Amino acid sequence: MQQSKIRFTWGERDGSGEPLIIPLPEYLDTWVKAKTFNDATLSVNEFQKVAIASIT
């Protein structure tokens, strides 16, 4: 991704409440799990069985 120096406010940092103000490339690298989106499948008018892990 092209490096941008424009900083955006994304919300607040957990724990401190300080504003999270960083450029888009840094936000995507740090907070967005691109692999999750890259491995996505698209289905239209179809049901898909999805395995959901339970937390015990």
Side-chain angles (χ1 to χ4, degrees):
M1 170 174 272
Q2 184 179 12
Q3 293 300 315
S4 171
K5 296 182 186 207
I6 300 171
R7 296 166 29 128
F8 298 91
T9 302
W10 298 102
E12 298 176 344
R13 293 187 182 271
D14 291 341
S16 70
E18 293 291 318
L20 178 61
I21 304 172
I22 56 177
L24 177 60
E26 184 179 340
Y27 178 80
L28 294 175
D29 288 343
T30 306
W31 298 101
V32 178
K33 296 185 180 195
K35 181 153 178 52
T36 302
F37 295 101
N38 290 340
D39 292 342
T41 58
L42 176 65
S43 61
V44 179
N45 295 329
E46 294 178 5
F47 290 103
Q48 291 190 1
K49 186 174 183 179
V50 178
I52 300 175
S54 62
I55 299 174
T56 57

